[in-house]
Amino acid sequence: MSKYLVFGHKNPDTDTIASAIAMSFFLERQGYDAEPVALGTPNEETEFALNYFNVEAPRVVTTVANEVEHVALVDHNEPQQSVDDLADVTVDYVIDHHRIAGFETAQPLYYRAEPIGCTATVLLKMFKEHDYDIPKSIAGLMLSAIISDTLLFKSPTCTNQDESAARELAKIAEVDLEKYGLELLKAGTNLSTKTIDELLTLDAKSFDMNGRKVRIAQVNAIGFEEMQAQKAELLTAMDASGYDLFVLIVTDILESNSFGLVSGDDFTQVEAAFGTTVIDNELLLPGVVSRKKQVVPQLTAAYEK
C-alpha cells in the first residue's frame, strides 16, 4: 500500500500544520499509511499550539517525489504555493477552503473545498461523516486553526459552521475557547525578534493575476507602531523581491484594522481594488483582516479589468 505525504502550502500557518496532522490521522483511520509534513518551519503561533497540546511538529521537506508517489494537499491547491515537484507525484486528495486556480490532474481525485473560514472545519465534517473520534490533541490543533484563520470569529471569512466547529472542538480539547484563543493569537504577534526577511515570509503567498506575479504577505500585530518603524527596510526588501506587485498587510488583531505597504512599478490595480490612494507606498485598510476574502479577490478583479 502506498504511503501518503500530507502537506499544506509554503510558509505554513496554523491551519496548514493542523490540517496536515488531522488529515494524516483521517487517512490512517481509512487504512492508509500517512505522514504529515511541512513546506517550512512553523511560526510562533503554530509553535504555541503544538507545545500546548504536546504534538511534535511535522518534519520539513522541500521535495516529495523522492519519497512517495501519492500525496494529499490541505489548505491550498495552487501549484505555485505548493511543493516544487508537485507535478512529479499524483494528488489523490485536496481538502481546502480557498479559490481554485491553476490546478489540474490527469486522474480523478477526492477534492473537497468549501467557502468557509478554515480547512479544519471541513475536516471536522469529514470525521463526523465517518463517525471517527478525534483525539484531544488533534482536536486542540484543529481548534487552533479555526481561531487563527477567523481571528477568533472576527474575520469576514468566518461562518456559523466555523464557530460551531470551534466550540465543539474546544469541548473535546478541554480548553476555555475565549481564553485560549486570545493566548494563541497573541503568541503570533511577537515581531520584535524577527528579521525583515522573516516578517515578509512569515505568512506570504504568491499568485498569478492575469500574468502578473503578485506576492501578498500578512503579519498580525497589536498596534502598528513597530511595523511602521521598519517601513523603509521592509520596502527595500520588497523592491528587491522580483515580483510585479508585493503587498504587505499588517493587521491589528485587537482593533480589526490593517494598513498595507506596497512595492511595484504600478499601483493602479491596488488603488482600484481598494478604492483608495497609495501614498508613499502605504495605504490604510480599515476593517480589512482577511487576505482570502478582502484582498485577493479584489486585486484579482482589478487585474482582470
Side-chain angles (χ1 to χ4, degrees), residues 18-37:
S19 292
I21 293 171
M23 182 61 182
S24 292
F25 181 77
F26 179 88
L27 288 173
E28 288 175 351
R29 290 298 306 271
Q30 296 263 291
Y32 298 105
D33 182 12
E35 179 191 359
V37 293

Side-chain angles (χ1 to χ4, degrees), residues 17-61:
I17 297 294
S19 292
I21 293 171
M23 182 61 182
S24 292
F25 181 77
F26 179 88
L27 288 173
E28 288 175 351
R29 290 298 306 271
Q30 296 263 291
Y32 298 105
D33 182 12
E35 179 191 359
V37 293
L39 306 187
T41 56
N43 60 38
E44 286 183 289
E45 177 192 272
T46 309
E47 286 182 348
F48 177 89
L50 290 167
N51 292 335
Y52 191 99
F53 294 105
N54 195 29
V55 177
E56 184 178 353
R59 64 185 175 96
V60 176
V61 300

Side-chain angles (χ1 to χ4, degrees), residues 16-243:
T16 282
I17 297 294
S19 292
I21 293 171
M23 182 61 182
S24 292
F25 181 77
F26 179 88
L27 288 173
E28 288 175 351
R29 290 298 306 271
Q30 296 263 291
Y32 298 105
D33 182 12
E35 179 191 359
V37 293
L39 306 187
T41 56
N43 60 38
E44 286 183 289
E45 177 192 272
T46 309
E47 286 182 348
F48 177 89
L50 290 167
N51 292 335
Y52 191 99
F53 294 105
N54 195 29
V55 177
E56 184 178 353
R59 64 185 175 96
V60 176
V61 300
T62 56
T63 58
V64 293
N66 57 310
E67 295 189 51
V68 296
E69 296 179 355
H70 299 267
V71 300
L73 308 186
V74 295
D75 200 33
H76 78 297
N77 67 82
E78 299 187 44
Q80 65 267 29
Q81 296 176 9
S82 198
V83 72
D84 291 339
D85 60 347
L86 185 66
D88 299 326
V89 293
T90 300
V91 179
D92 287 341
Y93 295 88
V94 176
I95 313 299
D96 197 13
H97 68 129
H98 295 94
R99 71 174 191 172
I100 302 171
F103 179 81
E104 61 180 25
T105 62
Q107 302 179 43
L109 75 162
Y110 183 96
Y111 195 110
R112 185 159 179 173
E114 299 190 24
I116 53 181
C118 185
T119 305
T121 304
V122 181
L123 282 164
L124 176 61
K125 292 183 180 183
M126 292 169 57
F127 276 98
K128 293 173 71 173
E129 288 164 4
H130 289 79
D131 198 27
Y132 293 161
D133 291 334
I134 304 175
K136 177 180 175 180
S137 59
I138 293 180
L141 292 180
M142 294 169 70
L143 167 65
S144 302
I146 297 172
I147 291 169
S148 177
D149 269 16
T150 68
L151 288 179
L152 199 53
F153 316 134
K154 291 182 179 179
S155 172
T157 62
C158 184
T159 67
N160 291 335
Q161 296 178 63
D162 298 295
E163 187 166 354
S164 176
R167 299 196 183 283
E168 185 173 344
L169 289 165
K171 290 180 180 179
I172 300 172
E174 298 179 356
V175 296
D176 182 295
L177 175 55
E178 298 294 333
K179 180 181 178 182
Y180 173 75
L182 287 174
E183 290 176 355
L184 175 74
L185 292 177
K186 287 180 179 179
T189 63
N190 180 21
L191 307 178
S192 60
T193 62
K194 293 179 174 58
T195 65
I196 294 299
D197 182 64
E198 286 172 334
L199 291 171
L200 292 176
T201 58
L202 186 66
D203 182 7
K205 293 183 179 181
S206 300
F207 301 88
D208 183 321
M209 296 187 179
N210 201 20
R212 308 292 282 178
K213 291 171 57 181
V214 177
R215 183 78 159 171
I216 305 174
Q218 186 168 22
V219 172
N220 288 340
I222 297 177
F224 295 145
E225 294 79 7
E226 188 174 358
M227 291 295 288
Q228 287 177 325
Q230 300 180 83
K231 176 179 176 179
E233 294 174 276
L234 288 164
L235 285 172
T236 297
M238 292 163 68
D239 288 341
S241 68
Y243 286 90

